[in-house]
């Protein structure tokens, strides 16, 4: 019997794994996807090779690329951007690590308090969260992003549009700023040369401005895994979890099994109780098809916003209030693009190093993209193809003409110089809405049971969600205009499920939450959730991973206290950074 | 020696007949095996094997139809200097998506994007037939007449082979091919003619837009109409989402495919063998290959700030 079994090694799972490994617990991590142990040998900088949702290295599917991916049913137009594998969707992520808007926490008293999703706040205060942010920021670590051409162009445009810079980690008013990124900033030759022979570690450290964050971070070449620039969990928390015995007195390395798809959470029903107690899990080896099971004192789900509800239903766990899988938030993403008469660095440097925040509405950020993803993003819309049809949903605003897909010669013209494009991603502070949910398909089953079915009612979002999205797209277009864009397009994307939160939400009310204020399942004792699905809301629009990792750190403490008789540590100890020399030595010694 | 002719005693369902003619299957079949459609050869003179489309021939015909359709699709997304772009009346002086072979990418991709169980596929295709029965295409009743005296018989025969084919695993790309061409016939009246076997590829750029408008979007009337012809309740509920996944996939991925590296990918060295056309078209990485391990765009820190204040 293990102390703890963790299901999923994505953005959240490895955080609890590392924290509990440092406490000396016996932790088993089961990850459905591939391990990616040798990025420099196995990865490339190429968009299709790495990112094709069908055959790419980073997809939701088994590690063998010749086998089909794992299908999810969508009931409405949309797309899902996730990755199965050690690192999960952080293999793709841009490392942007802003804190949540304080207004989404209990006890918030700011003058703008009614602007937020007031029905679904965090069940505790921002002040209680702050030490967990600090701990996580030091562990990753999070650093202020460097500036290149595209950041300079964005800052100049934001200033020209009347915004002023923000200088703090806590967002208290609207403004623009460099990203707080989980990326090691450039050192040595990094960022200064395109000569690959000068960019090997240790001649170059941190981000080399290669422009390939989306393809996974393997730079600087030759660096130990924990010193790769971007701090996706495969480069940060996982190397720590696998070496906790070496760098931390009293620590115990976790056992990590990849290609291990958990198909069932085993639970008992105690006499005289409607609820259950978690006992362990069953999983399937995705290579051999063999099934295994193991028991544990605590089971932690960290399979992400889509797979957790599926696994819950397929395990026949109780759903007393009907909220399992409900209240999925997705930041109602949208995309506003400006075409400039000059080079604005549209493909260069770290994927996103500048942003603007609008408390009560959400955030926007400038992104760099390679050509195919630019073209892809210009071809997604809920409002038809510009100049051909609009599905009866045209949007007009500060951008040029109607929203819609850019196609044909217009696409070819927009794409004629990708470095002249400034692409702004819209992160809406969207509401927790009962209708937006994940359950299981009635029509499709795979080798792991009925597949997940995702409903995102794009055309039926709350008034506040729609208002916020329109507000942000207009602000983005104004910034692009002020910066001198000659043509501005708003896409009005179909749901692009890339930031997902709150499908198994924590909350203070048993009527509308799956998890209690410690992220333990209300219906299943000893079952916790430690990924983005546990978040109580859309955190006000900022990118969610830091917040979910800070929350997972808090959950690790709660588990250690309740089930293993331990003490909390975040307020009493200093965190070990994932780039600490002791960790580097441990990573090299273990050959990770 | 003459073999006993297969008796085709079921009347050819009018919906299916429209699928065969309106989707271009008949035309594609004729292109693959022209000898089977010799005008003037009397029914009675024909050996059964002469007019019996083998499943292999039919498969080849459907693949030819798919390729023709996907060329038309890719030219719609990213026009170039190719005949498909010229046919749609929107072409440019330099290569487009067809030059990057985005059609191959699309066809391969769409077969993997939604793992449709065979029963689902079958119900969907039959549903399309049933729907067409109720909402006829403008295909002349005598469409089979110019096939010669035995035109009707040829059609029945083709239908029988299609029936057999549909009992196997039908790739999504074929289903989508049939759908796009049928819709092409339905929304454009009278259906245009042109150099290509696929009716869709003979349309103008604006007309292709009308086909997409009929299939795209949450409230697409056509998708919803097709749904009601599917007998199985679970499949019926899933059908609009599944069709949408296929439609939005092709619209979006025709662009992704036109600008990515797949056509020149070097799997040995995990790089590109030459600069992909999509990079040329977009001005990306002028000196590639090789692709450098870094850039030289580092300009320092905004206002010299290396960290944010922690309250
Ligand atoms: C292009 C892109 C850019 C992004 N940029 C940012 C950013 O800059 N900042 C930010 O905060 N966020 C960003 N995100 C979002 C961020 O990556 C995700 O929010 C985050 O990774 C989610 O973490 P998670 O643990 O909830 O799920 P995931 O990271 O998706 O991890 C879940 C893991 O669990 C595994 N799993 C699921 N079910 C099972 C099972 N039954 N058995 C075993 N294993 C299972 C999966 O295979 C997966 O590895 C970005 C996302 C994308 C796609």
């Amino acid at each position: 019997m293990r102390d703890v079994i963790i299901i999923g090694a994505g953005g959240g799972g490895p955080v609890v794994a590392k924290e509990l490994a440092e406490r000396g617990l016996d932790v088993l991590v089961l990850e459905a996807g591939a391990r990616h142990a040798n990025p420099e040998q196995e990865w490339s900088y190429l968009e299709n090779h790495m990112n094709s949702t069908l055959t790419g290295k980073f997809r939701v599917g088994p590690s063998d690329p010749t086998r089909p991916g794992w299908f999810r049913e969508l009931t409405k137009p949309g797309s899902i951007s996730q990755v199965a594998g050690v690192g999960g969707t952080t293999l793709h992520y841009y490392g942007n690590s802003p804190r949540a808007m304080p207004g989404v926490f209990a006890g918030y008293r700011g003058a703008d308090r009614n602007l937020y999703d007031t029905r679904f706040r965090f069940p505790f205060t921002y002040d209680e969260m702050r030490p967990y942010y600090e701990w996580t920021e030091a562990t990753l670590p999070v650093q202020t992003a460097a500036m290149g051409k595209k950041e300079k162009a964005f800052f100049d445009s934001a200033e020209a549009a009347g915004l002023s810079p923000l200088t703090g980690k806590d967002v208290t008013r609207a403004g623009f700023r460099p990203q707080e990124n989980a990326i090691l900033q450039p050192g040595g030759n990094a960022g200064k040369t395109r000569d690959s022979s000068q960019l090997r570690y240790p001649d170059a450290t941190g981000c080399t401005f290669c422009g390939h964050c989306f393809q996974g971070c393997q730079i600087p070449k030759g660096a130990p895994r924990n010193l790769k620039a971007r701090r996706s969990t495969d480069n940060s928390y996982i190397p720590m979890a696998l070496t906790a015995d070496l760098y931390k007195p009293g620590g115990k390395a976790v056992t990590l099994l990849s290609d291990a798809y958990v198909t069932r959470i085993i639970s008992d029903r105690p006499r005289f109780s409607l609820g259950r107690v978690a006992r362990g899990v069953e999983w399937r080896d995705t290579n051999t098809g063999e099934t295994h099971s193991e028991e544990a004192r605590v089971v932690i789900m960290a399979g992400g916003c889509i797979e957790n509800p599926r696994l819950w239903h397929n395990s026949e766990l109780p759903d007393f209030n009907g909220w399992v899988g409900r209240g999925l938030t997705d930041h109602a993403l949208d995309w506003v693009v400006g075409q400039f008469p000059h080079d604005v660095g549209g493909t260069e440097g770290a994927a996103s190093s500048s942003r603007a925040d609008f408390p009560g509405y959400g955030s926007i950020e400038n992104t760099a993209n390679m050509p195919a993803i630019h073209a892809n993003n210009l071809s997604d819309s809920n409002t038809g193809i510009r100049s051909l049809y609009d599905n009866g949903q045209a949007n007009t605003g500060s951008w040029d003409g109607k929203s819609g897909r850019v196609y044909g010669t217009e696409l070819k013209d927009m794409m004629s110089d990708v470095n002249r494009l400034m692409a702004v991603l819209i992160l809406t502070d969207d509401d927790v809405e009962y209708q937006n949910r994940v359950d299981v398909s009635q029509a499709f089953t795979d080798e792991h049971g009925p597949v997940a079915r995702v409903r995102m009612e794009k055309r039926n979002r709350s008034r506040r969600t729609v208002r916020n999205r329109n507000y942000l797209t207009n602000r983005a277009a104004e910034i692009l205009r002020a910066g001198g864009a000659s043509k501005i397009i708003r896409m009005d994307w179909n749901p692009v499920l890339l930031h997902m939160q709150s499908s198994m939400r924590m909350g203070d009310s048993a009527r509308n939450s799956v998890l209690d204020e410690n992220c333990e399942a209300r219906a299943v004792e000893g079952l916790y959730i430690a990924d983005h699905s546990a978040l109580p809301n859309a955190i006000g629009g900022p990118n969610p991973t830091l917040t979910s990792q800070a929350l997972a750190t808090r959950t690790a403490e709660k588990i250690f206290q309740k089930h293993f008789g331990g003490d909390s540590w975040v307020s009493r100890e200093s965190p070990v950074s994932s780039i600490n020399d002791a960790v580097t030595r441990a990573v090299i010694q273990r050959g990770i | 020696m003459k073999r006993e002719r297969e008796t085709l005693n079921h009347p050819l369902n009018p919906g299916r007949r429209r699928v065969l003619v309106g989707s271009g299957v008949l035309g594609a079949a004729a292109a693959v095996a022209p000898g089977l459609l010799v005008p003037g050869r009397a029914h009675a003179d024909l050996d059964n094997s002469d007019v019996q489309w083998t499943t292999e021939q039919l498969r080849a015909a459907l693949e030819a139809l798919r390729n023709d359709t996907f060329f038309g699709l890719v030219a719609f997304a990213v026009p170039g200097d190719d005949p498909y772009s010229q046919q749609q009346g929107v072409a440019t002086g330099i290569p487009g998506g067809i030059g990057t072979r985005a059609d191959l990418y699309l066809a391969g991709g769409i077969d993997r994007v939604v793992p449709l169980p065979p029963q689902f596929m079958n119900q969907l295709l039959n549903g399309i037939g049933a729907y067409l029965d109720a909402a006829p295409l403008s295909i002349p009743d005598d469409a089979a007449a110019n096939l010669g005296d035995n035109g009707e018989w040829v059609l029945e025969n083709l239908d029988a082979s299609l029936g057999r084919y549909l009992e196997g695993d039908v790739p999504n790309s074929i289903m989508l091919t049939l759908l796009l061409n049928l819709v092409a016939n339905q929304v454009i009246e009278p259906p245009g003619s042109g150099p290509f076997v696929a009716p869709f590829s003979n349309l103008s750029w604006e007309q292709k837009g009308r086909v997409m408008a009929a299939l795209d979007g949450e409230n697409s009337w056509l998708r919803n109409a097709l749904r009601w012809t599917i007998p199985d309740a679970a499949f019926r509920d899933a059908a609009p989402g599944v069709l949408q996944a296929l439609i939005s996939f092709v619209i979006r991925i025709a662009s992704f495919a036109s600008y990515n590296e797949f056509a020149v990918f070097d799997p040995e060295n995990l790089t590109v063998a030459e600069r992909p056309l999509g990079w040329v078209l977009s001005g990306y990485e002028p000196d590639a290959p090789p692709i450098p391990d870094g850039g030289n765009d580092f300009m320092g820190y905004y206002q010299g700030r290396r960290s944010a204040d922690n309250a």
Side-chain angles (χ1 to χ4, degrees):
Chain A
M1 162 127 71
R2 300 272 180 176
D3 289 332
V4 175
I5 294 178
I6 299 172
I7 305 163
V15 175
V16 222
K18 171 260 174 191
E19 293 297 339
L20 294 178
E22 285 190 352
R23 300 297 122 187
L25 296 192
D26 179 12
V27 179
L28 170 65
V29 180
L30 298 167
E31 166 53 50
R35 172 74 191 277
H36 302 298
N38 301 302
E40 289 184 35
Q41 283 74 48
E42 294 165 7
W43 295 358
S44 73
Y45 296 134
L46 300 170
E47 297 189 86
N48 183 60
H49 174 236
M50 294 305 294
N51 302 328
S52 159
T53 51
L54 304 174
T55 56
K57 289 258 168 209
F58 295 167
R59 61 168 188 169
V60 175
S63 36
D64 175 358
T66 63
R67 287 167 51 206
W70 292 316
F71 174 66
R72 282 81 168 267
E73 184 185 338
L74 272 163
T75 62
K76 290 281 163 74
S79 56
I80 300 173
S81 195
Q82 272 189 324
V83 184
V86 174
T89 311
T90 71
L91 289 164
H92 256 171
Y93 93 145
Y94 297 167
N96 307 146
S97 301
R99 295 180 180 178
M101 300 284 185
V104 301
F105 285 79
Y108 179 71
R109 293 275 166 269
D112 61 352
R113 62 186 172 278
N114 293 326
L115 277 182
Y116 300 90
D117 188 0
T118 48
R119 286 184 59 210
F120 299 101
R121 294 197 200 265
F122 272 75
F124 56 92
T125 65
Y126 190 75
D127 281 342
E128 184 179 340
M129 186 67 151
R130 199 192 308 271
Y132 298 102
Y133 274 137
E134 289 166 358
W135 180 276
T136 313
E137 287 161 350
T139 305
L140 282 164
V142 173
Q143 300 177 347
T144 299
M147 184 168 64
K149 208 181 292 142
K150 75 177 186 304
E151 288 70 37
K152 171 115 184 31
F154 182 81
F155 296 143
D156 289 349
S157 305
E159 216 172 321
L163 287 172
S164 57
L166 298 168
T167 56
K169 281 184 177 287
D170 300 325
V171 180
T172 50
R173 62 169 176 84
F176 67 90
R177 54 177 170 150
Q179 294 274 14
E180 287 292 286
N181 269 349
I183 294 180
L184 305 179
Q185 296 306 311
N189 295 334
K192 297 178 185 156
T193 176
R194 292 167 60 84
D195 176 354
S196 298
S197 69
Q198 296 187 43
L199 288 169
R200 288 190 66 81
Y201 178 87
D203 295 339
T205 59
C207 176
T208 64
F209 273 60
C210 78
H212 299 292
C213 295
F214 199 33
Q215 281 77 255
C217 191
Q218 49 163 310
I219 50 94
K221 291 261 172 82
R225 188 71 185 249
N226 68 314
L227 297 182
K228 297 293 185 189
R230 195 197 55 206
R231 318 307 295 156
S232 33
T233 56
D234 60 318
N235 293 337
S236 55
Y237 278 93
I238 284 287
M240 293 183 89
L242 292 172
T243 57
D245 57 322
L246 298 179
Y247 73 81
K248 175 88 183 176
K252 183 171 169 56
V254 305
T255 308
L256 169 65
L257 290 184
S258 53
D259 306 304
Y261 207 116
V262 176
T263 50
R264 188 173 180 81
I265 291 171
I266 304 164
S267 65
D268 291 344
R269 191 157 105 204
R271 293 177 70 191
F272 312 117
S273 166
L274 289 175
R276 290 178 170 266
V277 180
R279 296 285 179 224
V281 303
E282 278 172 19
W283 75 90
R284 178 177 174 279
D285 181 320
T286 63
N287 295 318
T288 64
E290 284 165 13
T291 54
H292 305 269
S293 67
E294 196 152 332
E295 298 202 330
R297 288 164 72 183
V298 171
V299 175
I300 303 175
M301 299 173 91
C305 280
I306 295 183
E307 292 302 316
N308 285 343
R310 174 199 190 192
L311 179 58
W312 185 286
H313 288 301
N314 287 347
S315 304
E316 293 162 60
L317 298 177
D319 180 11
F320 294 134
N321 58 13
W323 271 82
V324 168
R326 298 262 186 195
L328 175 66
T329 55
D330 69 342
H331 287 167
L333 298 191
D334 204 347
W335 187 254
V336 182
V337 188
Q339 186 176 36
F340 283 71
H342 52 270
D343 185 345
V344 286
T347 62
E348 290 181 51
S352 179
S353 297
S354 55
R355 65 188 294 116
D357 296 286
F358 301 92
Y361 299 93
S363 307
I364 65 177
E365 58 183 28
N366 179 17
T367 64
N369 305 274
M370 277 179 73
I373 201 69
H374 252 307
N376 180 84
N377 291 355
L378 287 167
S379 303
D380 186 15
S381 177
N382 194 257
T383 53
I385 297 179
R386 268 163 66 88
S387 81
L388 284 175
Y389 61 93
D390 64 10
N391 293 335
Q393 300 279 317
N395 285 295
T396 51
S398 314
W399 47 91
D400 294 314
K402 289 180 181 176
S403 60
R405 296 186 184 88
V406 181
Y407 230 55
T409 43
E410 187 175 33
L411 176 62
K412 212 170 173 186
D413 171 66
M414 285 288 279
M415 287 297 301
S416 62
D417 184 352
V418 272
N419 278 311
R420 289 199 288 122
L421 298 181
M422 189 187 288
V424 179
L425 180 64
I426 306 298
L427 309 175
T428 309
D429 176 11
D430 63 326
D431 279 335
V432 169
E433 295 164 45
Y434 188 70
Q435 73 211 2
N436 297 327
R437 67 181 298 203
V438 181
D439 62 0
V440 286
S441 172
Q442 305 299 304
F444 300 101
T445 298
D446 68 12
E447 60 273 35
H448 307 120
V451 306
R453 175 169 63 178
V454 183
R455 291 173 193 273
M456 204 70 207
E457 298 285 344
K458 195 271 174 194
R459 292 201 186 162
N460 195 24
R461 297 298 312 250
S462 73
R463 278 177 46 198
R464 198 185 75 94
T465 301
V466 174
R467 178 202 70 189
N468 288 356
R469 192 168 186 253
N470 284 333
Y471 178 86
L472 294 169
T473 45
N474 275 294
R475 295 310 302 262
E478 286 157 22
I479 289 172
L480 292 169
R481 187 82 68 202
S486 44
K487 177 171 179 177
I488 300 169
I489 310 262
R490 174 187 176 184
M491 298 311 305
D492 191 13
W493 271 354
N494 284 310
V496 174
L497 301 176
L498 175 156
H499 285 180
M500 282 181 277
Q501 303 80 215
S502 59
S503 64
M504 305 287 284
R505 62 182 302 276
M506 73 186 303
D508 52 14
S509 164
R511 278 184 297 122
N512 59 20
S513 57
V514 179
L515 309 177
D516 68 12
E517 62 286 355
N518 295 331
C519 288
E520 185 170 12
R522 294 183 183 281
V524 188
E525 209 187 314
L527 179 64
Y528 289 77
I529 299 191
D531 61 18
H532 290 48
S533 67
L535 291 168
N537 54 40
I539 78 162
N543 320 55
T545 307
L546 175 77
T547 298
S548 138
Q549 293 177 329
L551 182 62
T553 307
R554 180 179 179 271
T555 303
E557 271 196 351
K558 303 289 179 195
I559 291 170
F560 194 55
Q561 289 172 293
K562 175 169 171 182
H563 297 271
F564 301 95
D567 292 325
S568 61
W569 57 88
V570 165
S571 57
R572 294 183 297 112
E573 296 179 19
S574 301
V576 177
S577 164
S578 61
I579 59 170
N580 176 302
D581 288 344
V583 177
T584 305
R585 279 194 300 275
V587 165
I588 293 170
Q589 182 181 336
R590 192 140 287 160
I592 289 166
Chain B
M1 205 185 101
K2 281 192 175 176
R3 273 171 290 155
E4 216 32 61
R5 190 168 291 145
E6 205 174 288
T7 34
L8 298 165
N9 51 9
H10 60 89
L12 187 56
N13 155 336
R16 269 294 263 283
R17 175 196 169 87
R18 291 189 184 96
V19 170
L20 290 172
V21 181
S23 68
V25 172
L26 179 64
V32 167
L36 300 184
L37 286 178
V38 184
R41 281 177 73 180
H43 177 189
D45 295 345
L46 290 171
D47 185 310
N48 190 45
S49 59
D50 285 342
V51 290
Q52 187 79 47
W53 264 280
T54 64
T55 311
E56 276 323 301
Q57 280 170 323
L58 184 73
R59 183 169 289 131
L62 289 169
E63 281 167 10
L65 182 64
R66 177 189 62 202
N67 296 346
D68 208 41
T69 309
F70 280 34
F71 274 133
L73 256 174
V74 168
F76 178 51
V78 185
D81 55 358
D82 51 89
Y84 291 82
S85 301
Q86 271 138 19
Q87 172 65 19
Q88 70 184 0
V90 172
T92 65
I94 47 170
I98 287 180
T100 70
R101 296 311 309 265
D103 56 301
L104 292 178
Y105 185 93
L106 263 190
I110 196 131
D111 290 341
R112 304 177 69 123
V113 67
V114 184
L116 289 181
Q119 316 92 291
F120 188 124
M121 180 67 89
N122 231 298
Q123 291 189 18
L124 194 61
L125 282 165
N126 282 331
I128 294 171
Y131 169 71
L132 290 171
D133 207 9
L137 297 173
S138 41
I139 288 169
D141 282 343
D142 60 352
N146 58 4
L147 302 179
D149 297 346
N150 59 333
E152 277 307 315
W153 200 83
V154 165
L155 261 190
E156 285 179 22
N157 213 313
L158 187 57
D159 183 53
S161 330
L162 186 66
R164 280 195 297 278
Y165 172 80
L166 294 181
E167 279 158 25
D169 274 350
V170 181
N172 296 342
S173 57
I174 298 294
M175 196 271 287
L176 196 77
T177 297
L178 297 177
L179 189 62
L180 282 171
N181 286 307
L182 287 164
V183 178
N185 260 299
Q186 190 167 43
V187 298
I188 314 300
E189 290 189 77
S193 60
F196 304 118
V197 181
F200 179 82
S201 295
N202 288 326
L203 302 180
S204 70
W205 196 76
E206 283 73 23
Q207 288 174 328
K208 288 178 180 174
R210 279 161 62 195
V211 172
M212 289 306 171
L215 288 166
D216 182 26
E218 272 176 47
N219 298 329
S220 146
W221 56 270
L222 184 59
R223 270 190 307 118
N224 291 331
L226 291 180
R227 165 178 184 205
W228 291 111
T229 56
I230 293 175
D232 181 286
F235 289 167
R236 187 160 64 234
D237 282 351
V242 163
L243 277 167
Q244 182 62 47
L246 294 175
I247 299 296
S248 60
F249 181 87
V250 288
I251 299 182
R252 202 162 40 79
I253 299 302
S255 306
F256 180 76
S258 298
Y259 288 95
N260 81 38
E261 84 290 349
F262 87 100
V264 294
F265 179 55
D266 167 5
E268 281 287 288
N269 301 304
L270 301 182
T271 184
V272 285
E274 59 186 86
R275 189 162 172 235
L277 178 57
W279 297 12
V280 177
L281 293 176
S282 59
Y284 180 71
E285 281 292 350
D287 303 325
I291 307 165
D293 290 326
N296 54 5
D297 190 33
F298 175 42
M299 297 166 65
Y301 293 84
Y302 181 69
Q303 295 183 338
R305 286 196 273 125
R306 298 300 310 270
S307 62
D309 311 330
N310 197 2

